[in-house]
Amino acid sequence: MSSLILTLPLTPPGIATKYSYTLTSDGHTATDHARAAAALLPEPSRPGGEVVAMVPISALSWQRVQLPPGIPLGPNHQTPRLRSILEGLLEDRLLDDPAQLHFALQPGAEAGSPVWVAVCDRSWLRDNLQALEAAGRAVSRVVPEFAPGPTASGTTEICALGSPSEPQMILCGQGPDQSVTMLPLSAAVLALAGLTSTTDDDAPAPVVRADPAVAEVAERTLGRQVTLHTATQRALDAARGDWDLAQFELASTSRIRAMRKAGTAASALLYAPQWRAARWAAALLVGVHLVGLNLWAWQEKQALAAKQVAVRNALTTTFPQVKVVVDAPVQMERELGLLRQKAGSVSPRDLEPLMAAVGASLPDDRVPTALEFAPGELRLRGVTLAPDEESVFNTRLQAAGYSARTEDGTLLVRAEGTP
């Protein structure tokens, strides 16, 4: 999906505050990265893109608590009551006043189960989000740089970052709770964490990544090669996670969340690489349907043309005197009428058959006062029929190939097929 990923600074926002940003069109590859003031930040590269704010690992504290059973959770239930419960559970673990802190529950948290809670300074986070919104870059999601939970490799992962003078390491996927911990990068700390080369050979070696600034220090300290992992790559990884720290008073309304979610899903379907096969399949399916519809239309057109040729041939074969065919059915009916006239016969559209059909269908005591005849139809004046009599009259006429209806006080009888 198209995203603008911003790394929030550790200091409160000001006029000179600059944000590190990463632009991506598919959520996996960076198209641009730099630093800029809030007013100069670029927009997501595609419509429906989102602005994601990333909270650095040093600005977060991770706490694991056991939620009481029966507490309503979820976006629509992040109420002051739930916050009060979290404050009570974390009060003895936090150095700062819980009222000054912001809490966020892990995705899929369930009441009665252990859950991870992200904790950070509330005013710092709120001020940064408000500064970005004032600059026209309203944040859709707030994600942590690193989060507890299973890692992509399924084992403990080490990420070294910081500066050569003060290197730090982030341990992810540790222990049964799969915690995330930030520690100084040193041989002594590695030994205390049980991550030295003298550990059990049967245990899988942790995956090690390092920021380019501390890659050399990490290799020297760990005694092994490391994979380079830049701040841009960390931002892309964080934005693809499930976490959203914008909860409680910082949460968007349900309508805005739904709109953002729909826009994000649409953008992912259109541009994300994991949906490329689905997009090709959809395009192929549409193409096949278009080809099939055109082929079907061509076949129908050919069949209609063949029928039209057959009708014209029938006309010119039956009546050789017709040299120019304009409307074959009409011309054939006209020629049949001329043949009847020459033979002295009548057609169902003539006066005699119409009167005979009407006389056989009308009740015995009903006699019209006036008749009007036109080819194919007969108007009867002065005839009034009861509903049951009209039903019988119409049934008899239909059996003889005629239809009737009342029009302007007259009874109109027509031969079937008369326009």
PDB file of all heavy atoms in Angstrom, residues 155-193:
ATOM      1  N   THR A 155      12.714 -17.341  15.861  1.00  0.00           N
ATOM      2  CA  THR A 155      13.714 -17.421  16.933  1.00  0.00           C
ATOM      3  C   THR A 155      13.984 -16.011  17.450  1.00  0.00           C
ATOM      4  O   THR A 155      13.430 -15.028  16.965  1.00  0.00           O
ATOM      5  CB  THR A 155      15.021 -18.035  16.403  1.00  0.00           C
ATOM      6  OG1 THR A 155      15.549 -17.188  15.359  1.00  0.00           O
ATOM      7  CG2 THR A 155      14.781 -19.419  15.822  1.00  0.00           C
ATOM      8  N   THR A 156      14.869 -15.948  18.440  1.00  0.00           N
ATOM      9  CA  THR A 156      15.276 -14.640  18.946  1.00  0.00           C
ATOM     10  C   THR A 156      16.024 -13.872  17.869  1.00  0.00           C
ATOM     11  O   THR A 156      16.863 -14.433  17.151  1.00  0.00           O
ATOM     12  CB  THR A 156      16.175 -14.802  20.184  1.00  0.00           C
ATOM     13  OG1 THR A 156      15.449 -15.513  21.189  1.00  0.00           O
ATOM     14  CG2 THR A 156      16.609 -13.452  20.724  1.00  0.00           C
ATOM     15  N   GLU A 157      15.720 -12.605  17.731  1.00  0.00           N
ATOM     16  CA  GLU A 157      16.392 -11.749  16.759  1.00  0.00           C
ATOM     17  C   GLU A 157      17.047 -10.578  17.479  1.00  0.00           C
ATOM     18  O   GLU A 157      16.489 -10.025  18.438  1.00  0.00           O
ATOM     19  CB  GLU A 157      15.410 -11.230  15.711  1.00  0.00           C
ATOM     20  CG  GLU A 157      14.841 -12.332  14.826  1.00  0.00           C
ATOM     21  CD  GLU A 157      13.955 -11.785  13.712  1.00  0.00           C
ATOM     22  OE1 GLU A 157      13.774 -10.550  13.642  1.00  0.00           O
ATOM     23  OE2 GLU A 157      13.461 -12.599  12.909  1.00  0.00           O
ATOM     24  N   ILE A 158      18.227 -10.219  17.011  1.00  0.00           N
ATOM     25  CA  ILE A 158      18.985  -9.104  17.588  1.00  0.00           C
ATOM     26  C   ILE A 158      19.094  -8.022  16.525  1.00  0.00           C
ATOM     27  O   ILE A 158      19.460  -8.297  15.375  1.00  0.00           O
ATOM     28  CB  ILE A 158      20.383  -9.546  18.042  1.00  0.00           C
ATOM     29  CG1 ILE A 158      20.287 -10.702  19.059  1.00  0.00           C
ATOM     30  CG2 ILE A 158      21.163  -8.380  18.620  1.00  0.00           C
ATOM     31  CD1 ILE A 158      21.630 -11.279  19.439  1.00  0.00           C
ATOM     32  N   CYS A 159      18.780  -6.806  16.919  1.00  0.00           N
ATOM     33  CA  CYS A 159      18.950  -5.666  16.014  1.00  0.00           C
ATOM     34  C   CYS A 159      19.830  -4.649  16.720  1.00  0.00           C
ATOM     35  O   CYS A 159      19.470  -4.148  17.789  1.00  0.00           O
ATOM     36  CB  CYS A 159      17.607  -5.059  15.640  1.00  0.00           C
ATOM     37  SG  CYS A 159      17.752  -3.696  14.446  1.00  0.00           S
ATOM     38  N   ALA A 160      20.980  -4.372  16.140  1.00  0.00           N
ATOM     39  CA  ALA A 160      21.906  -3.401  16.719  1.00  0.00           C
ATOM     40  C   ALA A 160      21.683  -2.049  16.073  1.00  0.00           C
ATOM     41  O   ALA A 160      21.561  -1.936  14.845  1.00  0.00           O
ATOM     42  CB  ALA A 160      23.349  -3.858  16.502  1.00  0.00           C
ATOM     43  N   LEU A 161      21.618  -1.010  16.904  1.00  0.00           N
ATOM     44  CA  LEU A 161      21.426   0.345  16.383  1.00  0.00           C
ATOM     45  C   LEU A 161      22.050   1.336  17.349  1.00  0.00           C
ATOM     46  O   LEU A 161      22.677   0.961  18.338  1.00  0.00           O
ATOM     47  CB  LEU A 161      19.941   0.636  16.146  1.00  0.00           C
ATOM     48  CG  LEU A 161      18.913   0.213  17.200  1.00  0.00           C
ATOM     49  CD1 LEU A 161      18.871   1.203  18.348  1.00  0.00           C
ATOM     50  CD2 LEU A 161      17.542   0.093  16.593  1.00  0.00           C
ATOM     51  N   GLY A 162      21.890   2.610  17.060  1.00  0.00           N
ATOM     52  CA  GLY A 162      22.487   3.654  17.881  1.00  0.00           C
ATOM     53  C   GLY A 162      23.692   4.257  17.203  1.00  0.00           C
ATOM     54  O   GLY A 162      23.714   4.414  15.969  1.00  0.00           O
ATOM     55  N   SER A 163      24.717   4.569  17.968  1.00  0.00           N
ATOM     56  CA  SER A 163      25.942   5.171  17.441  1.00  0.00           C
ATOM     57  C   SER A 163      27.131   4.311  17.857  1.00  0.00           C
ATOM     58  O   SER A 163      27.043   3.526  18.813  1.00  0.00           O
ATOM     59  CB  SER A 163      26.105   6.599  17.980  1.00  0.00           C
ATOM     60  OG  SER A 163      26.244   6.592  19.390  1.00  0.00           O
ATOM     61  N   PRO A 164      28.277   4.449  17.178  1.00  0.00           N
ATOM     62  CA  PRO A 164      29.448   3.639  17.555  1.00  0.00           C
ATOM     63  C   PRO A 164      29.880   3.867  18.999  1.00  0.00           C
ATOM     64  O   PRO A 164      30.406   2.951  19.642  1.00  0.00           O
ATOM     65  CB  PRO A 164      30.521   4.091  16.567  1.00  0.00           C
ATOM     66  CG  PRO A 164      29.746   4.586  15.372  1.00  0.00           C
ATOM     67  CD  PRO A 164      28.508   5.207  15.942  1.00  0.00           C
ATOM     68  N   SER A 165      29.654   5.079  19.523  1.00  0.00           N
ATOM     69  CA  SER A 165      30.048   5.350  20.906  1.00  0.00           C
ATOM     70  C   SER A 165      29.052   4.786  21.912  1.00  0.00           C
ATOM     71  O   SER A 165      29.433   4.457  23.038  1.00  0.00           O
ATOM     72  CB  SER A 165      30.206   6.851  21.117  1.00  0.00           C
ATOM     73  OG  SER A 165      28.974   7.521  20.834  1.00  0.00           O
ATOM     74  N   GLU A 166      27.775   4.701  21.551  1.00  0.00           N
ATOM     75  CA  GLU A 166      26.736   4.163  22.436  1.00  0.00           C
ATOM     76  C   GLU A 166      25.866   3.175  21.665  1.00  0.00           C
ATOM     77  O   GLU A 166      24.705   3.438  21.376  1.00  0.00           O
ATOM     78  CB  GLU A 166      25.885   5.290  23.014  1.00  0.00           C
ATOM     79  CG  GLU A 166      26.641   6.236  23.928  1.00  0.00           C
ATOM     80  CD  GLU A 166      25.718   7.273  24.535  1.00  0.00           C
ATOM     81  OE1 GLU A 166      24.490   7.229  24.245  1.00  0.00           O
ATOM     82  OE2 GLU A 166      26.191   8.144  25.277  1.00  0.00           O
ATOM     83  N   PRO A 167      26.399   2.018  21.314  1.00  0.00           N
ATOM     84  CA  PRO A 167      25.592   1.033  20.574  1.00  0.00           C
ATOM     85  C   PRO A 167      24.552   0.381  21.477  1.00  0.00           C
ATOM     86  O   PRO A 167      24.793   0.163  22.663  1.00  0.00           O
ATOM     87  CB  PRO A 167      26.634   0.037  20.079  1.00  0.00           C
ATOM     88  CG  PRO A 167      27.746   0.114  21.089  1.00  0.00           C
ATOM     89  CD  PRO A 167      27.774   1.540  21.558  1.00  0.00           C
ATOM     90  N   GLN A 168      23.409   0.109  20.898  1.00  0.00           N
ATOM     91  CA  GLN A 168      22.319  -0.553  21.608  1.00  0.00           C
ATOM     92  C   GLN A 168      21.910  -1.801  20.824  1.00  0.00           C
ATOM     93  O   GLN A 168      22.154  -1.890  19.609  1.00  0.00           O
ATOM     94  CB  GLN A 168      21.112   0.382  21.753  1.00  0.00           C
ATOM     95  CG  GLN A 168      21.406   1.694  22.449  1.00  0.00           C
ATOM     96  CD  GLN A 168      21.610   1.542  23.936  1.00  0.00           C
ATOM     97  OE1 GLN A 168      21.056   0.624  24.550  1.00  0.00           O
ATOM     98  NE2 GLN A 168      22.400   2.429  24.533  1.00  0.00           N
ATOM     99  N   MET A 169      21.287  -2.731  21.505  1.00  0.00           N
ATOM    100  CA  MET A 169      20.750  -3.898  20.807  1.00  0.00           C
ATOM    101  C   MET A 169      19.326  -4.136  21.278  1.00  0.00           C
ATOM    102  O   MET A 169      19.007  -3.978  22.457  1.00  0.00           O
ATOM    103  CB  MET A 169      21.617  -5.146  21.019  1.00  0.00           C
ATOM    104  CG  MET A 169      21.676  -5.661  22.434  1.00  0.00           C
ATOM    105  SD  MET A 169      22.618  -7.206  22.536  1.00  0.00           S
ATOM    106  CE  MET A 169      22.553  -7.532  24.303  1.00  0.00           C
ATOM    107  N   ILE A 170      18.481  -4.501  20.339  1.00  0.00           N
ATOM    108  CA  ILE A 170      17.088  -4.809  20.602  1.00  0.00           C
ATOM    109  C   ILE A 170      16.917  -6.311  20.480  1.00  0.00           C
ATOM    110  O   ILE A 170      17.222  -6.889  19.429  1.00  0.00           O
ATOM    111  CB  ILE A 170      16.150  -4.083  19.623  1.00  0.00           C
ATOM    112  CG1 ILE A 170      16.540  -2.613  19.497  1.00  0.00           C
ATOM    113  CG2 ILE A 170      14.706  -4.237  20.057  1.00  0.00           C
ATOM    114  CD1 ILE A 170      16.489  -1.841  20.775  1.00  0.00           C
ATOM    115  N   LEU A 171      16.453  -6.943  21.551  1.00  0.00           N
ATOM    116  CA  LEU A 171      16.209  -8.379  21.535  1.00  0.00           C
ATOM    117  C   LEU A 171      14.714  -8.605  21.345  1.00  0.00           C
ATOM    118  O   LEU A 171      13.902  -8.161  22.178  1.00  0.00           O
ATOM    119  CB  LEU A 171      16.670  -9.017  22.853  1.00  0.00           C
ATOM    120  CG  LEU A 171      18.139  -8.779  23.246  1.00  0.00           C
ATOM    121  CD1 LEU A 171      18.450  -9.469  24.563  1.00  0.00           C
ATOM    122  CD2 LEU A 171      19.075  -9.254  22.165  1.00  0.00           C
ATOM    123  N   CYS A 172      14.332  -9.280  20.271  1.00  0.00           N
ATOM    124  CA  CYS A 172      12.923  -9.552  19.953  1.00  0.00           C
ATOM    125  C   CYS A 172      12.669 -11.056  19.987  1.00  0.00           C
ATOM    126  O   CYS A 172      13.550 -11.858  19.667  1.00  0.00           O
ATOM    127  CB  CYS A 172      12.558  -9.008  18.570  1.00  0.00           C
ATOM    128  SG  CYS A 172      12.776  -7.233  18.401  1.00  0.00           S
ATOM    129  N   GLY A 173      11.439 -11.424  20.345  1.00  0.00           N
ATOM    130  CA  GLY A 173      11.053 -12.830  20.360  1.00  0.00           C
ATOM    131  C   GLY A 173      11.695 -13.619  21.468  1.00  0.00           C
ATOM    132  O   GLY A 173      11.995 -14.809  21.311  1.00  0.00           O
ATOM    133  N   GLN A 174      11.918 -12.984  22.627  1.00  0.00           N
ATOM    134  CA  GLN A 174      12.582 -13.651  23.740  1.00  0.00           C
ATOM    135  C   GLN A 174      11.590 -14.394  24.621  1.00  0.00           C
ATOM    136  O   GLN A 174      10.535 -13.847  24.981  1.00  0.00           O
ATOM    137  CB  GLN A 174      13.328 -12.631  24.596  1.00  0.00           C
ATOM    138  CG  GLN A 174      14.734 -12.319  24.115  1.00  0.00           C
ATOM    139  CD  GLN A 174      15.504 -11.607  25.207  1.00  0.00           C
ATOM    140  OE1 GLN A 174      15.083 -10.602  25.735  1.00  0.00           O
ATOM    141  NE2 GLN A 174      16.661 -12.153  25.553  1.00  0.00           N
ATOM    142  N   GLY A 175      11.926 -15.603  25.015  1.00  0.00           N
ATOM    143  CA  GLY A 175      11.176 -16.347  26.007  1.00  0.00           C
ATOM    144  C   GLY A 175       9.773 -16.707  25.569  1.00  0.00           C
ATOM    145  O   GLY A 175       9.343 -16.432  24.457  1.00  0.00           O
ATOM    146  N   PRO A 176       9.030 -17.336  26.486  1.00  0.00           N
ATOM    147  CA  PRO A 176       7.665 -17.767  26.140  1.00  0.00           C
ATOM    148  C   PRO A 176       6.725 -16.592  25.881  1.00  0.00           C
ATOM    149  O   PRO A 176       5.743 -16.723  25.159  1.00  0.00           O
ATOM    150  CB  PRO A 176       7.231 -18.578  27.371  1.00  0.00           C
ATOM    151  CG  PRO A 176       8.095 -18.074  28.485  1.00  0.00           C
ATOM    152  CD  PRO A 176       9.401 -17.703  27.861  1.00  0.00           C
ATOM    153  N   ASP A 177       7.012 -15.422  26.508  1.00  0.00           N
ATOM    154  CA  ASP A 177       6.158 -14.261  26.293  1.00  0.00           C
ATOM    155  C   ASP A 177       6.552 -13.483  25.045  1.00  0.00           C
ATOM    156  O   ASP A 177       5.865 -12.533  24.670  1.00  0.00           O
ATOM    157  CB  ASP A 177       6.220 -13.319  27.505  1.00  0.00           C
ATOM    158  CG  ASP A 177       5.651 -13.969  28.760  1.00  0.00           C
ATOM    159  OD1 ASP A 177       4.839 -14.905  28.598  1.00  0.00           O
ATOM    160  OD2 ASP A 177       6.013 -13.550  29.868  1.00  0.00           O
ATOM    161  N   GLN A 178       7.703 -13.860  24.433  1.00  0.00           N
ATOM    162  CA  GLN A 178       8.188 -13.224  23.203  1.00  0.00           C
ATOM    163  C   GLN A 178       8.279 -11.710  23.383  1.00  0.00           C
ATOM    164  O   GLN A 178       7.690 -10.923  22.644  1.00  0.00           O
ATOM    165  CB  GLN A 178       7.284 -13.581  22.020  1.00  0.00           C
ATOM    166  CG  GLN A 178       7.270 -15.071  21.733  1.00  0.00           C
ATOM    167  CD  GLN A 178       6.301 -15.470  20.644  1.00  0.00           C
ATOM    168  OE1 GLN A 178       5.263 -14.851  20.473  1.00  0.00           O
ATOM    169  NE2 GLN A 178       6.648 -16.496  19.894  1.00  0.00           N
ATOM    170  N   SER A 179       9.035 -11.344  24.374  1.00  0.00           N
ATOM    171  CA  SER A 179       9.146  -9.939  24.728  1.00  0.00           C
ATOM    172  C   SER A 179      10.131  -9.219  23.814  1.00  0.00           C
ATOM    173  O   SER A 179      10.827  -9.834  23.010  1.00  0.00           O
ATOM    174  CB  SER A 179       9.612  -9.813  26.182  1.00  0.00           C
ATOM    175  OG  SER A 179      10.920 -10.384  26.325  1.00  0.00           O
ATOM    176  N   VAL A 180      10.192  -7.899  23.979  1.00  0.00           N
ATOM    177  CA  VAL A 180      11.159  -7.069  23.273  1.00  0.00           C
ATOM    178  C   VAL A 180      11.893  -6.248  24.322  1.00  0.00           C
ATOM    179  O   VAL A 180      11.277  -5.667  25.223  1.00  0.00           O
ATOM    180  CB  VAL A 180      10.470  -6.163  22.234  1.00  0.00           C
ATOM    181  CG1 VAL A 180       9.401  -5.304  22.857  1.00  0.00           C
ATOM    182  CG2 VAL A 180      11.491  -5.292  21.521  1.00  0.00           C
ATOM    183  N   THR A 181      13.239  -6.238  24.249  1.00  0.00           N
ATOM    184  CA  THR A 181      14.061  -5.603  25.275  1.00  0.00           C
ATOM    185  C   THR A 181      15.160  -4.791  24.610  1.00  0.00           C
ATOM    186  O   THR A 181      15.746  -5.221  23.614  1.00  0.00           O
ATOM    187  CB  THR A 181      14.705  -6.657  26.201  1.00  0.00           C
ATOM    188  OG1 THR A 181      13.685  -7.547  26.684  1.00  0.00           O
ATOM    189  CG2 THR A 181      15.399  -6.000  27.375  1.00  0.00           C
ATOM    190  N   MET A 182      15.438  -3.626  25.181  1.00  0.00           N
ATOM    191  CA  MET A 182      16.517  -2.772  24.695  1.00  0.00           C
ATOM    192  C   MET A 182      17.640  -2.772  25.715  1.00  0.00           C
ATOM    193  O   MET A 182      17.436  -2.443  26.890  1.00  0.00           O
ATOM    194  CB  MET A 182      16.010  -1.353  24.457  1.00  0.00           C
ATOM    195  CG  MET A 182      17.048  -0.423  23.863  1.00  0.00           C
ATOM    196  SD  MET A 182      16.336   1.207  23.501  1.00  0.00           S
ATOM    197  CE  MET A 182      17.753   2.002  22.745  1.00  0.00           C
ATOM    198  N   LEU A 183      18.853  -3.171  25.273  1.00  0.00           N
ATOM    199  CA  LEU A 183      20.003  -3.288  26.167  1.00  0.00           C
ATOM    200  C   LEU A 183      21.241  -2.688  25.503  1.00  0.00           C
ATOM    201  O   LEU A 183      21.313  -2.595  24.267  1.00  0.00           O
ATOM    202  CB  LEU A 183      20.280  -4.765  26.494  1.00  0.00           C
ATOM    203  CG  LEU A 183      19.176  -5.549  27.225  1.00  0.00           C
ATOM    204  CD1 LEU A 183      19.519  -7.028  27.232  1.00  0.00           C
ATOM    205  CD2 LEU A 183      18.999  -5.019  28.637  1.00  0.00           C
ATOM    206  N   PRO A 184      22.248  -2.323  26.295  1.00  0.00           N
ATOM    207  CA  PRO A 184      23.512  -1.889  25.694  1.00  0.00           C
ATOM    208  C   PRO A 184      24.173  -3.052  24.956  1.00  0.00           C
ATOM    209  O   PRO A 184      24.084  -4.208  25.393  1.00  0.00           O
ATOM    210  CB  PRO A 184      24.350  -1.429  26.891  1.00  0.00           C
ATOM    211  CG  PRO A 184      23.357  -1.185  27.991  1.00  0.00           C
ATOM    212  CD  PRO A 184      22.242  -2.163  27.755  1.00  0.00           C
ATOM    213  N   LEU A 185      24.831  -2.740  23.869  1.00  0.00           N
ATOM    214  CA  LEU A 185      25.512  -3.776  23.093  1.00  0.00           C
ATOM    215  C   LEU A 185      26.925  -3.937  23.637  1.00  0.00           C
ATOM    216  O   LEU A 185      27.808  -3.113  23.383  1.00  0.00           O
ATOM    217  CB  LEU A 185      25.538  -3.397  21.609  1.00  0.00           C
ATOM    218  CG  LEU A 185      26.270  -4.367  20.677  1.00  0.00           C
ATOM    219  CD1 LEU A 185      25.645  -5.751  20.730  1.00  0.00           C
ATOM    220  CD2 LEU A 185      26.266  -3.841  19.242  1.00  0.00           C
ATOM    221  N   SER A 186      27.121  -5.004  24.417  1.00  0.00           N
ATOM    222  CA  SER A 186      28.444  -5.294  24.980  1.00  0.00           C
ATOM    223  C   SER A 186      28.547  -6.784  25.222  1.00  0.00           C
ATOM    224  O   SER A 186      27.539  -7.497  25.313  1.00  0.00           O
ATOM    225  CB  SER A 186      28.670  -4.516  26.284  1.00  0.00           C
ATOM    226  OG  SER A 186      27.786  -4.987  27.291  1.00  0.00           O
ATOM    227  N   ALA A 187      29.778  -7.247  25.332  1.00  0.00           N
ATOM    228  CA  ALA A 187      30.002  -8.668  25.555  1.00  0.00           C
ATOM    229  C   ALA A 187      29.430  -9.109  26.892  1.00  0.00           C
ATOM    230  O   ALA A 187      28.899 -10.220  27.029  1.00  0.00           O
ATOM    231  CB  ALA A 187      31.498  -8.975  25.483  1.00  0.00           C
ATOM    232  N   ALA A 188      29.523  -8.244  27.905  1.00  0.00           N
ATOM    233  CA  ALA A 188      29.013  -8.614  29.224  1.00  0.00           C
ATOM    234  C   ALA A 188      27.501  -8.787  29.203  1.00  0.00           C
ATOM    235  O   ALA A 188      26.954  -9.743  29.770  1.00  0.00           O
ATOM    236  CB  ALA A 188      29.411  -7.540  30.244  1.00  0.00           C
ATOM    237  N   VAL A 189      26.813  -7.881  28.520  1.00  0.00           N
ATOM    238  CA  VAL A 189      25.355  -7.985  28.445  1.00  0.00           C
ATOM    239  C   VAL A 189      24.950  -9.209  27.639  1.00  0.00           C
ATOM    240  O   VAL A 189      23.991  -9.911  27.986  1.00  0.00           O
ATOM    241  CB  VAL A 189      24.760  -6.694  27.830  1.00  0.00           C
ATOM    242  CG1 VAL A 189      23.269  -6.855  27.595  1.00  0.00           C
ATOM    243  CG2 VAL A 189      25.036  -5.512  28.739  1.00  0.00           C
ATOM    244  N   LEU A 190      25.693  -9.512  26.580  1.00  0.00           N
ATOM    245  CA  LEU A 190      25.398 -10.704  25.794  1.00  0.00           C
ATOM    246  C   LEU A 190      25.535 -11.965  26.633  1.00  0.00           C
ATOM    247  O   LEU A 190      24.732 -12.897  26.525  1.00  0.00           O
ATOM    248  CB  LEU A 190      26.329 -10.773  24.581  1.00  0.00           C
ATOM    249  CG  LEU A 190      26.040  -9.794  23.439  1.00  0.00           C
ATOM    250  CD1 LEU A 190      27.148  -9.835  22.414  1.00  0.00           C
ATOM    251  CD2 LEU A 190      24.701 -10.134  22.781  1.00  0.00           C
ATOM    252  N   ALA A 191      26.566 -11.985  27.485  1.00  0.00           N
ATOM    253  CA  ALA A 191      26.760 -13.159  28.333  1.00  0.00           C
ATOM    254  C   ALA A 191      25.622 -13.295  29.341  1.00  0.00           C
ATOM    255  O   ALA A 191      25.125 -14.397  29.594  1.00  0.00           O
ATOM    256  CB  ALA A 191      28.102 -13.048  29.059  1.00  0.00           C
ATOM    257  N   LEU A 192      25.194 -12.156  29.915  1.00  0.00           N
ATOM    258  CA  LEU A 192      24.093 -12.207  30.869  1.00  0.00           C
ATOM    259  C   LEU A 192      22.803 -12.646  30.193  1.00  0.00           C
ATOM    260  O   LEU A 192      21.970 -13.334  30.802  1.00  0.00           O
ATOM    261  CB  LEU A 192      23.904 -10.834  31.526  1.00  0.00           C
ATOM    262  CG  LEU A 192      24.994 -10.401  32.510  1.00  0.00           C
ATOM    263  CD1 LEU A 192      24.742  -8.969  32.973  1.00  0.00           C
ATOM    264  CD2 LEU A 192      25.029 -11.342  33.712  1.00  0.00           C
ATOM    265  N   ALA A 193      22.624 -12.256  28.925  1.00  0.00           N
ATOM    266  CA  ALA A 193      21.413 -12.622  28.190  1.00  0.00           C
ATOM    267  C   ALA A 193      21.487 -14.026  27.609  1.00  0.00           C
ATOM    268  O   ALA A 193      20.508 -14.509  27.026  1.00  0.00           O
ATOM    269  CB  ALA A 193      21.152 -11.616  27.071  1.00  0.00           C
TER     270      ALA A 193
END
